[in-house]
Amino acid sequence: MASVNKDDRLTSSQSFLCVGFAGIFSKTVTSPLEVVKILSQVGTFHCKCGFMRSFLLIYQREGLRAFWKGNSVSCLRLFPYSAIHLGTYKTIINLYMDELGRISQWKAIVTGGLAGISAALLTYPLEVVETRLIAQNCRESTYRGVVHTLSSINRHEGFLALYRGFSLTILGMLF
C-alpha cells in the first residue's frame, strides 16, 4: 500500500501557480530542443543532417526567434493542463483512499493515467496548434497566432483535425 499524506503548506491556488510557472520556465528553456524534435518528426530539410547541424540551419534560415516558435501556445496550454491534471488526480485519489489515507500502488498509477488522459483530452487542440506553428517557416508563415491557427484548422480541415494523433498520445500515456 502506498500512503498519500495531505500537505497543507500551500493552498490549491498557490500550488497551481507554482506548477504553472515552473512549467512555463522549463518549457521556455527547452523550447529550442522541442523545435528541433518536432521538425525532425515532420521531416523538414533542417533535420536530415544531425542534431547540431539542425540548430545551425534553423538559425541561418529563420533566425534566433525560430527556436521559440509555438512556445507561447505551449505555455498557454500548461496552465489548464496542470489544473485539470492536478484537480482530477486529487478528486479520484480521494475516492480510492481508505480511512487511513492509503491507496494501493496500482490504483495510484491508474489514477495518474486517468488524470493525464482527461487533461490531454481537453488541451490537445493547443498541442496541435503548437506543432503547426513550429512546423511553419517563420519568414513565410501560414498561421498568424493561436486563435487564427485554431479557426483555420477547424474551418479547412474540420473539428476532428484538432485531435489528429490524440490516440497515439493516449497509447503513449498507457505504456
Side-chain angles (χ1 to χ4, degrees), residues 5 13-15 28 35 40 64 74 81 84 100-101 104-105 116 128 140-141 145 157 165 170-172:
N5 296 322
S13 57
Q14 287 171 327
S15 223
T28 301
V35 167
S40 295
L64 192 60
S74 183
Y81 182 92
I84 295 163
L100 298 175
S104 75
Q105 186 175 5
V128 171
E140 302 166 14
S141 58
E157 301 172 49
I170 299 303
L171 284 174

mmCIF file of all heavy atoms in Angstrom, residues 5 13-15 28 35 40 64 74 81 84 100-101 104-105 116 128 140-141 145 157 165 170-172:
data_model
loop_
_atom_site.group_PDB
_atom_site.id
_atom_site.type_symbol
_atom_site.label_atom_id
_atom_site.label_comp_id
_atom_site.label_asym_id
_atom_site.label_seq_id
_atom_site.Cartn_x
_atom_site.Cartn_y
_atom_site.Cartn_z
ATOM 1 N N ASN A 5 -0.102 11.549 1.950
ATOM 2 C CA ASN A 5 -0.361 12.448 3.070
ATOM 3 C C ASN A 5 -0.814 13.804 2.566
ATOM 4 O O ASN A 5 -0.310 14.302 1.566
ATOM 5 C CB ASN A 5 0.900 12.633 3.923
ATOM 6 C CG ASN A 5 1.335 11.349 4.563
ATOM 7 O OD1 ASN A 5 0.511 10.546 4.987
ATOM 8 N ND2 ASN A 5 2.634 11.126 4.621
ATOM 9 N N SER A 13 -4.496 27.142 -4.933
ATOM 10 C CA SER A 13 -4.140 28.136 -5.945
ATOM 11 C C SER A 13 -2.635 28.412 -5.949
ATOM 12 O O SER A 13 -2.043 28.600 -7.010
ATOM 13 C CB SER A 13 -4.929 29.427 -5.754
ATOM 14 O OG SER A 13 -4.723 29.956 -4.476
ATOM 15 N N GLN A 14 -2.007 28.417 -4.783
ATOM 16 C CA GLN A 14 -0.551 28.607 -4.730
ATOM 17 C C GLN A 14 0.155 27.426 -5.394
ATOM 18 O O GLN A 14 1.118 27.600 -6.142
ATOM 19 C CB GLN A 14 -0.072 28.748 -3.286
ATOM 20 C CG GLN A 14 -0.427 30.064 -2.640
ATOM 21 C CD GLN A 14 -0.114 30.070 -1.145
ATOM 22 O OE1 GLN A 14 -0.204 29.050 -0.470
ATOM 23 N NE2 GLN A 14 0.256 31.245 -0.643
ATOM 24 N N SER A 15 -0.329 26.230 -5.116
ATOM 25 C CA SER A 15 0.227 25.019 -5.721
ATOM 26 C C SER A 15 0.101 25.081 -7.244
ATOM 27 O O SER A 15 1.047 24.787 -7.975
ATOM 28 C CB SER A 15 -0.559 23.826 -5.203
ATOM 29 O OG SER A 15 0.252 22.780 -4.874
ATOM 30 N N THR A 28 10.060 27.074 -21.730
ATOM 31 C CA THR A 28 10.762 28.136 -22.446
ATOM 32 C C THR A 28 12.248 27.809 -22.603
ATOM 33 O O THR A 28 12.830 28.025 -23.666
ATOM 34 C CB THR A 28 10.564 29.485 -21.724
ATOM 35 O OG1 THR A 28 9.148 29.749 -21.662
ATOM 36 C CG2 THR A 28 11.245 30.615 -22.446
ATOM 37 N N VAL A 35 11.631 22.401 -30.701
ATOM 38 C CA VAL A 35 11.520 22.818 -32.104
ATOM 39 C C VAL A 35 12.295 21.855 -33.002
ATOM 40 O O VAL A 35 11.759 21.371 -34.002
ATOM 41 C CB VAL A 35 12.010 24.281 -32.288
ATOM 42 C CG1 VAL A 35 12.205 24.618 -33.762
ATOM 43 C CG2 VAL A 35 11.029 25.253 -31.647
ATOM 44 N N SER A 40 12.192 17.423 -36.762
ATOM 45 C CA SER A 40 12.694 16.083 -37.123
ATOM 46 C C SER A 40 11.530 15.130 -37.353
ATOM 47 O O SER A 40 11.568 14.320 -38.280
ATOM 48 C CB SER A 40 13.581 15.534 -36.009
ATOM 49 O OG SER A 40 14.733 16.290 -35.867
ATOM 50 N N LEU A 64 17.085 33.550 -34.730
ATOM 51 C CA LEU A 64 17.015 33.090 -33.342
ATOM 52 C C LEU A 64 15.572 32.876 -32.869
ATOM 53 O O LEU A 64 15.282 31.957 -32.104
ATOM 54 C CB LEU A 64 17.731 34.107 -32.445
ATOM 55 C CG LEU A 64 18.015 33.698 -31.020
ATOM 56 C CD1 LEU A 64 18.904 32.447 -30.987
ATOM 57 C CD2 LEU A 64 18.675 34.833 -30.257
ATOM 58 N N SER A 74 2.325 26.792 -26.147
ATOM 59 C CA SER A 74 2.715 25.705 -25.264
ATOM 60 C C SER A 74 2.592 26.125 -23.801
ATOM 61 O O SER A 74 2.081 25.375 -22.961
ATOM 62 C CB SER A 74 4.148 25.282 -25.583
ATOM 63 O OG SER A 74 4.524 24.192 -24.795
ATOM 64 N N TYR A 81 -3.816 22.498 -18.492
ATOM 65 C CA TYR A 81 -3.408 21.095 -18.398
ATOM 66 C C TYR A 81 -3.068 20.752 -16.948
ATOM 67 O O TYR A 81 -3.533 19.747 -16.411
ATOM 68 C CB TYR A 81 -2.203 20.811 -19.307
ATOM 69 C CG TYR A 81 -1.794 19.359 -19.274
ATOM 70 C CD1 TYR A 81 -2.310 18.452 -20.183
ATOM 71 C CD2 TYR A 81 -0.900 18.881 -18.311
ATOM 72 C CE1 TYR A 81 -1.960 17.115 -20.142
ATOM 73 C CE2 TYR A 81 -0.536 17.552 -18.261
ATOM 74 C CZ TYR A 81 -1.068 16.673 -19.187
ATOM 75 O OH TYR A 81 -0.725 15.345 -19.118
ATOM 76 N N ILE A 84 -6.278 20.816 -14.677
ATOM 77 C CA ILE A 84 -7.142 19.654 -14.913
ATOM 78 C C ILE A 84 -6.483 18.391 -14.379
ATOM 79 O O ILE A 84 -7.121 17.585 -13.702
ATOM 80 C CB ILE A 84 -7.473 19.523 -16.416
ATOM 81 C CG1 ILE A 84 -8.312 20.721 -16.872
ATOM 82 C CG2 ILE A 84 -8.201 18.217 -16.703
ATOM 83 C CD1 ILE A 84 -8.336 20.907 -18.376
ATOM 84 N N LEU A 100 -7.482 5.579 6.406
ATOM 85 C CA LEU A 100 -6.168 5.948 6.923
ATOM 86 C C LEU A 100 -5.343 6.751 5.906
ATOM 87 O O LEU A 100 -4.188 7.072 6.150
ATOM 88 C CB LEU A 100 -5.388 4.698 7.340
ATOM 89 C CG LEU A 100 -6.009 3.872 8.472
ATOM 90 C CD1 LEU A 100 -5.210 2.595 8.695
ATOM 91 C CD2 LEU A 100 -6.104 4.694 9.742
ATOM 92 N N GLY A 101 -5.934 7.062 4.737
ATOM 93 C CA GLY A 101 -5.229 7.832 3.717
ATOM 94 C C GLY A 101 -4.301 7.001 2.862
ATOM 95 O O GLY A 101 -3.380 7.524 2.257
ATOM 96 N N SER A 104 -3.664 1.712 -2.891
ATOM 97 C CA SER A 104 -2.745 0.745 -3.494
ATOM 98 C C SER A 104 -1.934 1.421 -4.593
ATOM 99 O O SER A 104 -2.357 2.406 -5.203
ATOM 100 C CB SER A 104 -3.517 -0.445 -4.072
ATOM 101 O OG SER A 104 -4.149 -0.077 -5.278
ATOM 102 N N GLN A 105 -0.766 0.864 -4.831
ATOM 103 C CA GLN A 105 0.125 1.424 -5.838
ATOM 104 C C GLN A 105 -0.535 1.407 -7.212
ATOM 105 O O GLN A 105 -0.426 2.370 -7.973
ATOM 106 C CB GLN A 105 1.427 0.634 -5.854
ATOM 107 C CG GLN A 105 2.469 1.227 -6.754
ATOM 108 C CD GLN A 105 3.790 0.484 -6.637
ATOM 109 O OE1 GLN A 105 3.908 -0.521 -5.953
ATOM 110 N NE2 GLN A 105 4.798 0.985 -7.317
ATOM 111 N N GLY A 116 -4.090 12.270 -16.414
ATOM 112 C CA GLY A 116 -3.333 12.709 -17.585
ATOM 113 C C GLY A 116 -4.154 12.657 -18.859
ATOM 114 O O GLY A 116 -4.098 13.576 -19.686
ATOM 115 N N VAL A 128 -1.781 20.623 -30.950
ATOM 116 C CA VAL A 128 -1.799 20.601 -32.415
ATOM 117 C C VAL A 128 -1.399 21.976 -32.956
ATOM 118 O O VAL A 128 -0.604 22.078 -33.890
ATOM 119 C CB VAL A 128 -3.190 20.180 -32.950
ATOM 120 C CG1 VAL A 128 -3.296 20.369 -34.456
ATOM 121 C CG2 VAL A 128 -3.479 18.727 -32.584
ATOM 122 N N GLU A 140 7.772 32.756 -43.828
ATOM 123 C CA GLU A 140 6.654 32.529 -44.749
ATOM 124 C C GLU A 140 5.530 31.848 -43.992
ATOM 125 O O GLU A 140 5.087 30.761 -44.341
ATOM 126 C CB GLU A 140 7.103 31.635 -45.901
ATOM 127 C CG GLU A 140 8.263 32.180 -46.693
ATOM 128 C CD GLU A 140 8.884 31.132 -47.601
ATOM 129 O OE1 GLU A 140 8.276 30.074 -47.814
ATOM 130 O OE2 GLU A 140 9.994 31.376 -48.082
ATOM 131 N N SER A 141 5.034 32.492 -42.953
ATOM 132 C CA SER A 141 4.071 31.836 -42.062
ATOM 133 C C SER A 141 2.680 31.703 -42.678
ATOM 134 O O SER A 141 2.197 32.594 -43.373
ATOM 135 C CB SER A 141 3.990 32.586 -40.733
ATOM 136 O OG SER A 141 3.622 33.914 -40.948
ATOM 137 N N GLY A 145 -1.114 33.078 -35.399
ATOM 138 C CA GLY A 145 -1.248 33.032 -33.947
ATOM 139 C C GLY A 145 -2.167 31.902 -33.530
ATOM 140 O O GLY A 145 -2.661 31.139 -34.363
ATOM 141 N N GLU A 157 -10.106 21.944 -42.192
ATOM 142 C CA GLU A 157 -9.902 20.500 -42.030
ATOM 143 C C GLU A 157 -10.959 19.836 -41.155
ATOM 144 O O GLU A 157 -10.999 18.618 -41.072
ATOM 145 C CB GLU A 157 -8.515 20.252 -41.425
ATOM 146 C CG GLU A 157 -7.384 20.802 -42.275
ATOM 147 C CD GLU A 157 -6.056 20.719 -41.562
ATOM 148 O OE1 GLU A 157 -5.731 19.627 -41.033
ATOM 149 O OE2 GLU A 157 -5.335 21.737 -41.520
ATOM 150 N N GLY A 165 -3.906 12.522 -34.041
ATOM 151 C CA GLY A 165 -2.775 11.988 -33.289
ATOM 152 C C GLY A 165 -3.070 11.772 -31.812
ATOM 153 O O GLY A 165 -2.224 11.272 -31.074
ATOM 154 N N ILE A 170 -2.569 8.934 -26.174
ATOM 155 C CA ILE A 170 -3.167 8.065 -25.140
ATOM 156 C C ILE A 170 -2.353 6.783 -25.020
ATOM 157 O O ILE A 170 -2.060 6.335 -23.919
ATOM 158 C CB ILE A 170 -4.642 7.745 -25.457
ATOM 159 C CG1 ILE A 170 -5.474 9.029 -25.490
ATOM 160 C CG2 ILE A 170 -5.226 6.760 -24.452
ATOM 161 C CD1 ILE A 170 -5.432 9.845 -24.229
ATOM 162 N N LEU A 171 -2.003 6.183 -26.160
ATOM 163 C CA LEU A 171 -1.185 4.963 -26.116
ATOM 164 C C LEU A 171 0.144 5.224 -25.417
ATOM 165 O O LEU A 171 0.618 4.394 -24.642
ATOM 166 C CB LEU A 171 -0.932 4.429 -27.529
ATOM 167 C CG LEU A 171 -2.101 3.711 -28.181
ATOM 168 C CD1 LEU A 171 -1.775 3.374 -29.626
ATOM 169 C CD2 LEU A 171 -2.457 2.460 -27.404
ATOM 170 N N GLY A 172 0.741 6.371 -25.681
ATOM 171 C CA GLY A 172 1.994 6.730 -25.019
ATOM 172 C C GLY A 172 1.828 6.880 -23.513
ATOM 173 O O GLY A 172 2.741 6.552 -22.744
#
